[in-house]
Amino acid sequence: MPFFIIAGAVNGAIAVALGAFGAHALADRLSAHYLDVWEKAVTYQMFHAIALLAIGILMSPALFGSSTALSWAGYLLLAGIIIFSGSLYVLSLSGIGILGAITPIGGVAFIAGWIMLIVAAAKFSN
């Protein structure tokens, strides 16, 4: 439980810092296209940081408790942040187009994480 709360909080802080960095330090250095890519990375990182916080809270014994499905959901969302947002950050800074081929792997991890959250909720309701 604390791992996902910490991971969510760390990723939230990183998303805020990278959002500010993009808005201030990169505004005059990147094209509008790559600034948009950077912003998309920040947005997805923040949304999934909040989801990690929620998973950590749901793992509380007073709520869902320890759950394999919730653990999978958290780890998949964390992997999604690293792969999806990470590849977009590097793509924005480097312009290396092949990195765009890695980004969908992170998107699949996000989707799988959300599906595992659905599975955990379905198991809890039974």
Side-chain angles (χ1 to χ4, degrees):
M1 174 179 60
F3 174 78
F4 292 119
I5 293 173
I6 292 167
V10 166
N11 274 284
I14 291 169
V16 170
L18 291 177
F21 179 72
H24 300 290
L26 299 178
D28 295 333
R29 292 191 162 96
L30 296 181
S31 69
H33 169 73
Y34 284 123
L35 282 173
D36 185 51
V37 170
W38 185 273
E39 185 176 322
K40 186 174 301 302
V42 169
T43 300
Y44 275 72
Q45 184 173 2
M46 182 56 82
F47 284 148
H48 291 89
I50 294 167
L52 286 172
L53 291 171
I55 288 168
I57 292 167
L58 287 172
M59 292 180 94
S60 164
L63 297 172
F64 286 22
S66 180
S67 162
T68 302
L70 276 178
S71 290
W72 270 104
Y75 288 121
L76 286 163
L77 293 181
L78 185 56
I81 290 170
I82 293 166
I83 298 166
F84 184 91
S85 293
S87 66
L88 291 180
Y89 290 132
V90 175
L91 171 64
S92 296
L93 295 175
S94 70
I96 299 172
I98 193 70
L99 291 169
I102 296 169
T103 306
I105 297 168
V108 170
F110 283 151
I111 293 166
W114 286 107
I115 290 170
M116 291 308 296
L117 185 54
I118 294 166
V119 168
K123 284 183 178 181
F124 180 76
S125 66
N126 288 333

